[in-house]
Amino acid sequence: MSDLCSMSLSRALLGLRRREYGALDLTRSCLERIRATEPYLNACISVLEESALERAAALDEIGPREDKPLWGVPVMLKDIICLKGHPCTCASRFVENFIPFYDAGVASRLKEAGAVIVAKNNLDEFAMGSGTENSAFGPTRNPWDLARVPGGSSGGSAAAVAAAQAFGALGTDTGGSIRLPAGFCGCVGLKPTYGRVSRFGVVAFGSSFDQVGPLARSVEDCARLFEVIAGPDPRDATSARLDLHPGGLPEQDFVRAALEGGEREPQDTLKGLKIGLAREFWDSGLTPEVERVCRGLLDKLADAGAVLEPVSLPHQKYAVASYYIMSSAEASTNLARFDGVRYGRRAEQAGELDELYVASRSAGFGPEAQRRIMLGTFVLSSGYYDAYYRKAAQIRRLLRGDFDRALENCRLILAPTCTRTAWNFGFTENDPLLAYKMDLLTVTLNLVGLPGLALPAGLGDESRLPVGVQLMGRPFDEAALFRTAAAVERLLPPLGKPGGV
Amino acid sequence: MAISKETVLHVSRLARLDLAAGLSGAEAEDKIGSFAVQMAQIVEYMDILNQADTSGVAPLFSPVSLTAAPRQDIPLEAGFSREQILANAPEQEKGMFVVPRVLHV
């Protein structure tokens, strides 16, 4: 039974429908795997053993349902996504006791689809970080090498999925927080088009950047999760009305797209497909092994008939600066709601209301959250607003123009997810700017709001660690990403199982 | 651009943060000093934006191009109770959040 958890999500679904095993068998297998690996990984902040077993038993009682696309499948949620009745800590001491009384839009959709939620995953505090080192509950370790970070901020979700603690997980991506850990842990992860997935019940970091997306062990698995969570939600004002989409209703059948790409010969999908390569991404200081793995993939794509086209993103060099200005500004305003009054930990011995705010916030927020709040407050403060915040927003429009032009001629753009493989713990300690620069290849998509799908391209020949690439697409064109990614997946040998656990 | 300790302290006051909280005098000095250095490095890096010509470019504050559709102006069912909302409050009384006294008369 213990190996059940290592199957793909898609294979697990098939077995459930054939009654080879039940929801309870899968849930127990995942819980066993969690027990065995958590002492090393620390990928979960809370394991929902009791509620997961109850839920799985209740599902088994009824039996498989064709109309429930994730019936009986154990999955996890990044612990910044609200799940009714269970703590949502955001990896912060400040709100470690906060228990939401409602489900996030994506949590309701998972439940409605028949999924079993087995754990809430570790993350960087309030999703601020690229290594899952900034968690009040300790860092998550990379299942490929326990001395290294899993990437962040959805590092708990990526590590858990790679280590087969669950069949998939939901993370959030504000500046690369799904794609970077997916790349470092050898998973498939999608940052959807801004507005594609409901953010209702997801604790806000950068509201014009945040998107929820799936992490899984295959392109098809990722599509199955995405198909469940994608779609409008009246409770999120930024949720996109696709019926108003200028190009007509975009393709919505993501599972079919992934199956098409995976079942055909890769050449049938890739022949004549125009894939853009931006010098700004490829000449960005890639380590030699990342360069070799990614160039190897380009050769295979060209052999399969894809047309690799140079494209230009002249404003990419301003992306990291613009991103950290705007996202920190949004973080400083979003985190203003944490004041020790309505929820969260209240500092003792505060005489006046203002002292209570200051004392609660100073004790509650960890160092990186404080740094982002400070930066954001600075760039929004009088005398600096025009030079930083407004200027960054202007660059944002120019960048979007770069992408719109590049994607007119190409269906998608391909780039590595990071200039290097996973780093050792402490590598960016005391050097926040170095940490921010690690997001060089991911933040741009969040500025422009476009979708990106990360998948493994192979193992580095020096580090023996996963190297990720990302496919970036047109607005709401996730189906093309899934179709192409499934073909790419077939071109490449499987990564194998992570060696650290 | 250099960032002085005074600027750091000014910004921290705006952000309702006390960087010296729980620290000794010397530790607090260190922390504020290192914040000043780190912020200066970050802001100096951000100054790369000055190289970009953005004259006449309208700022883009959100990537949503579709305008949110209006809905009927009918109050929605809350779906949850006052007790549920108050359940996470550090201090409550008579169905309300309790804060330290604000008015002094």
Side-chain angles (χ1 to χ4, degrees):
Chain A
M1 278 296 167
S2 64
D3 267 359
L4 287 178
C5 61
S6 308
M7 286 184 292
S8 73
L9 185 157
S10 306
R11 177 65 186 86
L13 270 175
L14 194 68
L16 283 164
R17 285 183 188 154
R18 290 182 183 157
R19 297 184 188 257
E20 292 169 18
Y21 36 75
L24 205 48
D25 299 320
L26 293 188
T27 304
R28 286 201 180 114
S29 175
C30 288
L31 289 169
E32 210 171 282
R33 183 79 178 148
I34 292 169
R35 261 193 303 275
T37 53
E38 270 304 90
Y40 312 99
L41 290 181
N42 195 31
C44 304
I45 288 178
S46 46
V47 179
L48 316 177
E49 178 159 353
E50 200 179 322
S51 65
L53 288 172
E54 254 173 49
R55 159 97 168 148
L59 287 168
D60 280 339
E61 193 90 352
I62 303 163
R65 290 259 308 266
E66 287 291 332
D67 60 335
K68 304 269 184 198
L70 294 175
W71 188 92
V73 178
V75 297
M76 295 183 175
L77 293 179
K78 184 178 186 177
D79 203 21
I80 198 164
I81 300 171
C82 288
L83 182 64
K84 187 176 175 176
H86 299 284
C88 187
T89 69
C90 306
S92 179
R93 291 285 167 216
F94 208 166
V95 285
E96 66 180 321
N97 298 319
F98 173 69
I99 300 180
F101 51 85
Y102 54 88
D103 283 323
V106 290
S108 334
R109 276 171 174 260
L110 286 179
K111 285 181 174 178
E112 186 52 37
V116 179
I117 297 163
V118 287
K120 305 280 309 277
N121 292 122
N122 201 4
L123 65 151
D124 288 292
E125 184 179 2
F126 290 106
M128 294 170 182
S130 309
T132 317
E133 289 177 281
N134 304 328
S135 166
F137 299 87
T140 296
R141 296 176 180 279
N142 190 316
W144 289 85
D145 178 349
L146 298 173
R148 292 175 190 266
V149 300
S153 65
S154 310
S157 306
V161 168
Q165 290 186 348
F167 293 92
L170 298 187
T172 59
D173 192 314
T174 303
S177 285
I178 288 173
R179 290 162 288 148
L180 191 72
F184 281 7
C185 294
C187 302
V188 178
L190 175 76
K191 193 289 268 192
T193 311
Y194 184 82
R196 180 64 112 156
V197 176
S198 169
R199 299 185 300 123
F200 174 79
V202 181
V203 179
F205 157 17
S207 299
S208 78
F209 299 87
D210 301 338
Q211 267 294 286
V212 180
L215 294 113
R217 291 192 291 270
S218 79
V219 174
E220 183 189 334
D221 290 0
C222 192
R224 289 188 185 277
L225 289 164
F226 184 57
E227 197 159 297
V228 166
I229 61 167
D233 181 350
R235 297 169 298 179
D236 175 359
T238 61
S239 170
R241 287 278 309 269
L242 292 175
D243 50 330
L244 304 176
H245 190 59
L249 199 65
E251 194 177 342
Q252 312 259 32
D253 202 341
F254 310 109
V255 176
R256 193 181 61 194
L259 287 172
E260 270 173 24
E263 282 165 4
R264 287 190 210 150
E265 285 305 311
Q267 293 82 339
D268 295 341
T269 303
L270 297 170
K271 191 158 196 294
L273 180 72
K274 283 191 181 169
I275 300 178
L277 302 178
R279 185 177 47 78
E280 292 82 1
F281 289 139
W282 289 84
D283 297 346
S284 58
L286 305 181
T287 61
E289 63 168 356
V290 168
E291 175 115 27
R292 281 193 292 273
V293 170
C294 295
R295 297 272 173 202
L297 172 61
L298 294 185
D299 292 342
K300 288 198 168 79
L301 286 169
D303 288 345
V307 182
L308 304 177
E309 294 249 322
V311 295
S312 172
L313 303 170
H315 297 92
Q316 162 63 18
K317 61 174 175 282
Y318 307 118
V320 170
S322 301
Y323 169 77
Y324 275 93
I325 289 169
M326 297 197 77
S327 67
S328 300
E330 292 184 13
S332 77
T333 53
N334 273 325
L335 297 190
R337 73 185 54 149
F338 297 98
D339 56 7
V341 173
R342 290 156 300 156
Y343 36 68
R345 183 173 289 194
R346 172 179 288 197
E348 308 285 329
Q349 308 149 332
E352 303 267 337
L353 182 59
D354 207 56
E355 288 167 25
L356 182 143
Y357 295 154
V358 173
S360 301
R361 290 164 60 79
S362 306
F365 289 125
E368 184 58 27
Q370 293 201 17
R371 191 175 294 116
R372 304 278 181 113
I373 293 171
M374 292 283 291
L375 263 178
T377 306
F378 175 77
V379 298
L380 288 173
S381 64
S382 124
Y384 298 106
Y385 177 91
D386 282 342
Y388 293 102
Y389 186 66
R390 192 169 187 283
K391 181 89 179 177
Q394 289 175 306
I395 305 269
R396 192 179 195 180
R397 185 174 298 280
L398 293 171
L399 259 172
R400 177 63 191 246
D402 289 355
F403 269 83
D404 287 344
R405 270 185 296 279
L407 287 166
E408 248 170 50
N409 191 30
C410 302
R411 187 67 186 262
L412 33 90
I413 294 171
L414 175 67
T417 53
C418 189
T419 53
R420 51 166 299 151
T421 53
W423 53 83
N424 286 303
F425 287 100
F427 171 62
T428 62
E429 204 179 346
N430 300 321
D431 192 350
L433 184 57
L434 177 66
Y436 298 173
K437 286 178 179 173
M438 292 296 123
D439 298 344
L440 175 70
L441 302 179
T442 48
V443 294
T444 320
L445 270 194
N446 302 80
L447 282 161
V448 299
L450 297 178
L453 189 152
L455 75 163
L459 294 179
D461 49 23
E462 284 165 23
S463 64
R464 307 307 300 163
L465 292 169
V467 172
V469 289
Q470 50 182 334
L471 297 167
M472 312 175 185
R474 297 171 182 170
F476 304 103
D477 199 16
E478 286 89 353
L481 301 184
F482 281 117
R483 190 175 288 112
T484 311
V488 171
E489 197 176 43
R490 274 195 60 169
L491 284 178
L492 296 166
L495 277 194
K497 293 211 159 61
V501 284
Chain B
M1 186 174 119
I3 293 200
S4 65
K5 288 186 183 179
E6 287 67 38
T7 304
V8 170
L9 289 172
H10 170 66
V11 172
S12 70
R13 276 191 294 272
L14 293 176
R16 297 295 184 274
L17 289 173
D18 173 12
L19 300 179
L23 301 177
S24 72
E27 288 168 340
E29 273 297 300
D30 275 359
K31 183 174 172 188
I32 294 161
S34 96
F35 251 88
V37 171
Q38 289 175 352
M39 279 182 68
Q41 285 169 350
I42 294 166
V43 170
E44 188 179 295
Y45 175 75
M46 288 170 171
D47 285 335
I48 187 181
L49 298 193
N50 294 330
Q51 297 170 17
D53 180 8
T54 54
S55 47
V57 177
L60 179 66
F61 294 113
S62 168
V64 197
S65 52
L66 305 166
T67 41
R71 65 167 174 81
Q72 292 296 317
D73 190 15
I74 301 167
L76 296 175
E77 284 282 319
F80 38 80
S81 64
R82 178 184 285 246
E83 286 70 32
Q84 285 178 304
I85 294 171
L86 285 165
N88 278 298
E91 203 181 338
Q92 53 156 310
E93 200 181 310
K94 294 178 184 154
M96 286 176 272
F97 298 109
V98 175
V99 295
R101 111 190 243 153
V102 200
L103 291 173
H104 298 271
V105 281

